[in-house]
Amino acid sequence: MVKRDIVVICSSAGGVEALTSLVAALPAGLPASLFIVQHIPAAHQSFLPQLLTKAGRLPATHPRDGETIVSGHVYVAPPDHHLLIEDGTIRVRRGPRENGHRPAGDALFRTAARAKGPRVIGIVLTGALDDGAAGLFAVKQRGGFAVVQDPEDAYCPDMPRAALDHTDVDAVASLGEIARQLPAWTSQSVDEAPDVNSLIAAEADIALQGSTEYVRTPGTPSTFSCPDCGGVLNEIEDDRRLRFRCQVGHAFNRSSLHAAQSEVLEAALWAALRALEQQADLGRRLTAKARRINQPKSASWHEERAETSEQQANLIRELLGAAPRKARSR
């Protein structure tokens, strides 16, 4: 019999405040190790370990790759790096983004599930979209304990709702209740873990190795392309739950893929708008030139093309919700 001594936590929008409140309420000497993924832009410096250390009774740090897991410690994912677990060792890797994030909750949760099985408590807190949902399902599959912040209590309810949609969790609770119950949950004895299925093992290996070079990408090829690299996305049916991963290793849950596709589409529309506006400007200049040298047919043709480009540009501006372009002199 073992205890639930590995706590993995994922948060995003509103997460700094939620994590600070959670850690502040935990007792010194908690017989467990906490691993935290808080989404943060890659170029930003993170002061979350200092904030958590100051707020609570447990020391918090950005770990180095290869550190041994210590009980009663809080490990925070460094910016632009996945925080992972391999046996009794912490891994810090710059593998493929998952759900548009590095660090990503799914990557941490899957490696913890494979390495520690029923010893893991997975917690999904406030955040946008759906990172952590598939990873929490992996924790549950391996006999771990799945916890979700009550969406009504969360600053941003998207991630908790996605996790609830994905997994039959063990507890849905407010942040305060999670903090009160966590010491009791870590004291629970648990049995041996179910065997690691091939999907959890493959996706954990991709995160740990940082690529798909030695791992066959799970799933079957789809008609969709990866928003991050343009490669083919494989469809993964995880107990009837559809997810996606490309040949490079980028991974997406449903909402994250939709959001990433929307960003790619918007970028393409802005590029098309710029090209059409330049085409209209060129048409007007050629129209003026043709008129100066008394070529009315050419002037009419260039003017018609300029007007067509302007009309198309205005349609795209309406789709983007952009302000109308100021009229140019002709």
Side-chain angles (χ1 to χ4, degrees), residues 142-211:
R142 287 278 288 146
F145 193 79
V147 181
V148 172
Q149 183 179 6
D150 187 340
E152 298 297 322
D153 181 63
Y155 173 83
C156 184
D158 295 358
M159 279 172 42
R161 285 174 179 163
L164 291 173
D165 182 58
H166 213 86
T167 302
D168 183 14
V169 303
D170 297 289
V172 180
S174 68
L175 192 64
E177 186 64 19
I178 292 172
R180 285 190 291 273
Q181 291 294 328
L182 190 56
W185 292 334
T186 59
S187 68
Q188 293 175 350
S189 298
V190 292
D191 296 324
E192 291 298 319
D195 292 337
V196 180
N197 67 42
S198 58
L199 181 56
I200 293 176
E203 294 193 280
D205 279 338
I206 291 171
L208 288 163
Q209 295 175 14
S211 74

Side-chain angles (χ1 to χ4, degrees), residues 55-126:
R57 303 170 184 84
L58 302 174
T61 59
H62 287 313
R64 297 183 305 275
D65 183 54
E67 279 192 36
T68 300
I69 298 173
V70 175
S71 183
H73 199 97
V74 180
Y75 300 100
V76 180
D80 204 29
H81 287 77
H82 290 307
L83 177 63
L84 312 169
I85 298 174
E86 186 176 32
D87 298 325
T89 303
I90 301 168
R91 295 299 180 190
V92 180
R93 300 284 168 83
R94 290 193 75 252
R97 296 179 185 276
E98 300 202 16
N99 303 309
H101 296 290
R102 186 173 55 225
D106 277 350
L108 168 62
F109 283 24
R110 286 195 194 97
T111 58
R114 184 176 75 164
K116 300 297 182 179
R119 294 169 60 180
V120 177
I121 298 172
I123 303 175
V124 175
L125 300 179
T126 174

Side-chain angles (χ1 to χ4, degrees), residues 276-292 299 302-307 309-311 325-330:
L276 286 167
E277 288 180 341
Q278 290 176 353
Q279 193 173 66
D281 290 343
L282 177 61
R284 281 190 291 269
R285 292 185 65 179
L286 293 174
T287 298
K289 175 71 172 179
R291 284 173 177 164
R292 282 198 301 271
H302 287 305
E303 185 174 34
E304 183 179 344
R305 292 196 67 185
E307 290 176 352
S309 296
E310 283 184 337
Q311 290 170 1
R325 194 185 193 200
K326 293 182 179 179
R328 299 289 185 91
S329 59
R330 297 176 183 251

Side-chain angles (χ1 to χ4, degrees), residues 11-20 38 125-128 149 154-156 175:
S11 59
S12 187
V16 173
E17 294 80 2
L19 291 166
T20 303
Q38 163 66 31
L125 300 179
T126 174
Q149 183 179 6
Y155 173 83
C156 184
L175 192 64

Side-chain angles (χ1 to χ4, degrees), residues 16 20 38 40 43-55 60-62 76-79:
V16 173
T20 303
Q38 163 66 31
I40 184 172
H44 286 210
Q45 188 174 358
S46 171
F47 296 98
L48 185 56
Q50 294 92 315
L51 291 174
L52 297 181
T53 299
K54 184 177 180 180
T61 59
H62 287 313
V76 180

